[in-house]
């Protein structure tokens, strides 16, 4: 976000460096500048929301049927960062000094551009294997591959391998948090609950099923996997 000056009550001039963002000074902030560009290009941005207070000049978020689009400013030099997030994951992101290009990205995404189309049309945008798998409708294998190969998850790799090797647990969407393995029954509807396999400090595991409150403990990893599997029955 752009660096704030000493007196944000001065309006946008107290928030934005005018030498970097003369267009924002002219239009009264990021959101109004994007609306002007959208009107000129006949682009559909939907409703543009901003944060409260002085941040209203330098933030812009838009919704789409494939997630949230967020745009922020650079502080030390001119650039606009854009991030598209959906289902708790970043699907695409990038940065450029061209506000028109960022505005056009938002329009293209809202109009249904695929990730491949987006990164081809806008070279400053990047995506990832998991996002592409989500778009194809089969993110679970890609997520397991990501976690099993993650260098910072070596300490839980035996747990990951054991759960992944089980036919039923391996068919769930995995997430690691504080050393615990969480398996969503449906990543597109997390209200359906999850399985949790939690390593205990004393050894063994606690297994929980959040959708019905089932819980139990197991001394070994195979027993924990079996218990988790039984909760799916």
């Amino acid at each position: 976000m752009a660096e704030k000056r000493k007196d944000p009550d001065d309006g946008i001039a107290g928030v934005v460096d005018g030498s970097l963002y003369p267009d924002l000074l002219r239009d009264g902030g990021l959101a109004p500048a994007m609306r002007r560009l959208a009107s000129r290009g006949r682009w559909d941005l939907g409703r543009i929301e901003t944060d409260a207070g002085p941040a209203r000049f330098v933030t812009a978020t838009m919704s789409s049927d494939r997630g949230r689009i967020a745009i922020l400013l650079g502080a030390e030099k001119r650039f606009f960062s854009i991030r598209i997030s959906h289902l708790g994951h970043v699907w695409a992101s990038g940065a450029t000094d061209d506000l028109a290009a960022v505005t056009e990205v938002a329009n293209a995404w809202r109009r249904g551009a695929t990730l491949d189309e987006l990164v081809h049309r806008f070279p400053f945008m990047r995506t990832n294997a998991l996002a592409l798998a989500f778009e194809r409708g089969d993110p679970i294998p890609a997520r397991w591959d990501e976690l099993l190969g993650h260098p910072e998850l070596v300490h839980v790799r035996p747990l990951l391998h054991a759960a992944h090797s089980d036919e039923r647990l391996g068919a769930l969407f995995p997430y690691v948090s504080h050393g615990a393995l969480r398996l969503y029954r449906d990543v597109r509807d997390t209200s359906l609950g999850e399985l949790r396999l939690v390593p205990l400090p004393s050894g063994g595991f606690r297994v929980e099923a959040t959708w019905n409150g089932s819980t139990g403990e197991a001394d070994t990893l195979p027993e924990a996997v079996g218990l988790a599997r039984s909760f799916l029955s």
Side-chain angles (χ1 to χ4, degrees), residues 17-188:
D17 184 342
S19 66
L20 298 176
Y21 300 101
D23 45 351
L24 268 60
L25 287 181
R26 178 192 65 223
D27 293 330
L30 176 58
M34 293 183 66
R35 292 189 188 100
R36 180 180 62 82
L37 290 167
S39 177
R40 187 178 70 186
R42 296 183 179 180
W43 299 331
D44 177 18
L45 302 183
R47 178 181 178 183
I48 304 177
E49 298 182 346
T50 66
D51 291 346
R56 70 186 182 276
F57 299 116
V58 296
T59 58
T61 61
M62 290 140 282
S63 62
S64 76
D65 58 4
R66 294 179 297 160
R68 178 176 178 267
I69 306 162
I71 299 173
L72 296 174
L73 307 188
E76 302 300 327
K77 64 179 182 179
R78 178 185 174 93
F79 72 84
F80 303 91
S81 67
I82 180 169
R83 173 177 290 192
I84 300 171
S85 303
H86 190 34
L87 299 173
H89 302 275
V90 176
W91 282 37
S93 62
T96 176
D97 62 0
D98 186 348
L99 179 56
V102 165
T103 305
E104 194 172 359
V105 168
N107 170 69
W109 185 252
R110 284 177 48 82
R111 287 182 178 271
T114 67
L115 289 169
D116 282 334
E117 291 169 345
L118 203 70
V119 299
H120 177 75
R121 183 176 172 187
F122 304 98
F124 61 88
M125 294 297 293
R126 298 290 183 270
T127 187
N128 56 76
L130 181 59
L132 291 167
F134 263 115
E135 190 172 67
R136 291 193 302 267
D138 188 22
I140 293 174
R143 180 60 168 174
W144 277 111
D145 287 345
E146 180 183 51
L147 295 185
L148 288 167
H150 200 298
E152 297 181 6
L153 297 179
V154 174
H155 60 295
V156 293
R157 194 158 292 161
L159 176 55
L160 287 168
H161 276 294
H164 180 246
S165 297
D166 183 86
E167 182 179 2
R168 296 196 66 186
L169 301 191
L172 303 179
F173 187 88
Y175 180 79
V176 175
S177 176
H178 299 94
L181 175 59
R182 299 164 58 179
L183 301 169
Y184 291 111
R185 299 171 77 192
D186 185 345
V187 69
R188 296 181 181 277

